[in-house]
Amino acid sequence: MDPRPPAESAAAAAEIEALGYGALWLSEGLVRDPFMEAGTLLAATRSLVVGTGVAAIWGRHPRMVRGQARALLDAHPGRFVLGLGTSHARLVEGVLGLRYERPLTALREHLDQLDAPDPLLALAGVEGSTVADAPGAPRVLAALGPRAVALARDRAAGAFSYLVTPEHPARVRAAPRRTGAGPSAGSRAGASG
């Protein structure tokens, strides 16, 4: 949807929903933050699921990601899916000016922090409250290689890939899944934005 003006994006999302699509996936924004864009699209629709497909982890603290995802879920229950990934060195180093090192390790560490209890809630004395115990957004991970696919299998509802052969998704689906893995996103057909 980005870089359209927000009103055009909202109208397009409403049209996509009216056409019967169940989900809309947003890429890392060129102009606007994908979480903010998701909020605009969710507010313009009644049942459309919106997901970040994918938001790059670099420059996004896990606590902020958790807060953004929780805010979207609180305002639009069951309608946001968190898609995370490492992006590419060209974007991370060339555009963001950050170091692109050990992307799989960085993603794993990001997930560890995302899944850990929020230390700020403990400081505020709300640890163990309904706020602290609210379920997180269902999530998918950008994953192409076997180790990234395994991480997605073990720590998310699935893998999000692009520019792959038709056989690639079948290999991902065939990978054994451990019990007790990450949040479930369910399966929904969708449009990509």
Side-chain angles (χ1 to χ4, degrees):
M1 300 308 241
D2 184 49
R4 296 176 189 209
E8 283 184 29
S9 294
E15 182 179 351
I16 287 167
E17 180 179 57
L19 291 170
Y21 287 95
L24 179 74
W25 292 93
L26 301 172
S27 64
E28 182 68 40
L30 297 172
V31 176
R32 286 184 298 282
D33 180 88
F35 294 93
M36 297 297 290
E37 184 83 347
T40 297
L41 304 182
L42 288 164
T45 58
R46 290 186 351 267
S47 61
L48 190 71
V49 173
V50 176
T52 54
V54 299
I57 62 166
W58 310 100
R60 282 195 172 91
H61 191 279
R63 185 176 189 288
M64 297 299 110
V65 170
R66 180 177 32 227
Q68 289 172 309
R70 179 166 286 159
L72 290 168
L73 280 177
D74 287 349
H76 310 281
R79 297 182 50 215
F80 177 71
V81 178
L82 176 61
L84 295 172
T86 59
S87 190
H88 304 281
R90 184 174 182 184
L91 172 73
V92 174
E93 293 182 347
V95 176
L96 299 178
L98 302 170
R99 294 181 71 175
Y100 187 80
E101 294 180 330
R102 304 182 65 201
L104 188 61
T105 298
L107 181 57
R108 186 177 290 110
E109 290 171 354
H110 192 90
L111 295 175
D112 290 345
Q113 290 183 44
L114 193 62
D115 294 342
D118 188 334
L120 187 57
L121 292 179
L123 285 173
V126 294
E127 196 171 38
S129 70
T130 56
V131 171
D133 296 334
R139 70 175 172 228
V140 295
L141 302 179
L144 296 174
R147 292 184 309 152
V149 168
L151 182 63
R153 177 197 63 215
D154 295 343
R155 302 285 302 273
F160 197 102
S161 58
Y162 73 112
L163 301 176
V164 296
T165 66
E167 295 79 22
H168 186 269
R171 280 196 318 270
V172 171
R173 281 193 292 275
R177 183 168 175 87
R178 292 190 338 199
T179 58
S184 173
S187 62
R188 297 184 184 251
S192 177

